[in-house]
Amino acid sequence: SQTIHQWPATLVQPVGSPLSLECTVEGTSNPNLYWYRQAAGRGLQLLFYSVGIGQISSEVPQNLSASRPQDRQFILSSKKLLLSDSGFYLCAWRMIRAGSTEAFFGQGTRLTVV
Amino acid sequence: GEDVEQSLFLSVREGDSSVINCTYTDSSSTYLYWYKQEPGAGLQLLTYIFSNMDMKQDQRLTVLLNKKDKHLSLRIADTQTGDSAIYFCAESMGQRGYSSASKIIFGSGTRLSIRP
């Protein structure tokens, strides 16, 4: 069966520090991978998605970047965090095939920038 | 452009039906979803509907799709305290069936609260 792991679960980082959140998927190959952010009182905002190794599409200009060094690994990074980067970050994977389109989400990382 | 809108809050009495509404803008959407998020957790898929369907029923859940008005609704019959959560509407852009890429755009979520 497929599983998705996201870590850490919570993170408190000072402004200006770097960030690295990792997401890995097991039990599937060549999934579509997604990073979403859920800010307090707001909905889910798509940040990045990837259809393959090294292929990253960015949805919004921001202080963050994403990388996919391996088929089932998706990393969200920042060189210098801003206060506005605080939020709940969710990784998701999805297989695009007939009859199965849902996205499966990790448990999320709550990031607080102080 | 791609936009999905929902009302932010809904309060219903236990045992009544809940109806959560959603509007979307992209007429090329192929799949529309309802996800549930419990406090501090990730999202779980409740149900989805293909864009060529008008209605889908799954136990206490009924999804209605009005493509002309780009309106999607989720009805939860006999609402229970365990249904308290945030419900997200989402649309997927991309071709039905095999596709190399497709985005999933989410609404702001509707927080459903149950009163006794």
Side-chain angles (χ1 to χ4, degrees):
Chain A
S1 64
Q2 300 92 354
T3 54
I4 179 168
H5 303 280
Q6 208 183 316
W7 68 92
T10 59
L11 192 59
V12 180
Q13 291 282 102
V15 168
S17 63
L19 173 74
S20 180
L21 301 182
E22 190 160 343
C23 172
T24 59
V25 180
E26 295 177 358
T28 187
S29 296
N30 197 31
N32 282 8
L33 295 172
Y34 305 83
W35 276 112
Y36 288 89
R37 177 170 61 201
Q38 185 178 21
R42 298 177 65 181
L44 235 54
Q45 181 184 34
L46 178 62
L47 301 176
F48 301 95
Y49 70 99
S50 169
V51 302
I53 296 174
Q55 300 177 62
I56 308 294
S57 296
S58 174
E59 283 299 293
V60 292
Q62 59 202 315
N63 186 41
L64 302 168
S65 61
S67 61
R68 185 171 176 174
Q70 301 182 65
D71 181 43
R72 289 168 288 179
Q73 184 185 30
F74 205 22
I75 299 172
L76 184 70
S77 304
S78 173
K79 290 182 180 177
K80 288 185 180 181
L81 283 169
L82 305 172
L83 287 174
S84 57
D85 291 324
S86 292
F88 192 49
Y89 289 82
L90 287 158
C91 178
W93 73 271
R94 183 181 185 213
M95 292 299 294
I96 307 298
R97 57 174 180 253
S100 175
T101 71
E102 68 180 283
F104 296 90
F105 284 81
Q107 288 301 298
T109 296
R110 185 161 301 283
L111 171 67
T112 304
V113 183
V114 296
Chain B
E2 309 144 350
D3 195 17
V4 178
E5 294 191 353
Q6 303 174 238
S7 54
L8 292 179
F9 302 98
L10 177 66
S11 176
V12 299
R13 189 170 299 174
E14 188 175 2
D16 287 351
S17 292
S18 305
V19 179
I20 304 172
N21 295 301
C22 167
T23 57
Y24 59 98
T25 56
D26 196 318
S27 57
S28 66
S29 294
T30 50
Y31 307 104
L32 294 132
Y33 308 86
W34 285 105
Y35 280 83
K36 178 182 180 181
Q37 184 185 33
E38 296 186 354
L43 273 67
Q44 288 186 305
L45 180 72
L46 282 179
T47 186
Y48 68 89
I49 189 168
F50 293 130
S51 58
N52 65 354
M53 297 170 64
D54 297 322
M55 186 183 86
K56 181 177 180 181
Q57 189 155 2
D58 183 4
Q59 298 181 336
R60 292 192 297 124
L61 305 178
T62 303
V63 178
L64 294 177
L65 175 60
N66 181 330
K67 289 185 289 295
K68 175 175 171 290
D69 295 337
K70 299 192 184 81
H71 182 266
L72 183 74
S73 68
L74 173 70
R75 178 176 178 269
I76 305 172
D78 187 24
T79 310
Q80 302 298 308
T81 54
D83 295 323
S84 293
I86 300 175
Y87 291 82
F88 288 91
C89 170
E91 62 173 346
S92 172
M93 271 66 69
Q95 293 184 0
R96 185 176 171 180
Y98 290 87
S99 173
S100 60
S102 86
K103 301 184 288 187
I104 307 177
I105 304 298
F106 284 79
S108 58
T110 299
R111 184 179 295 276
L112 176 64
S113 60
I114 316 300
R115 56 184 192 271

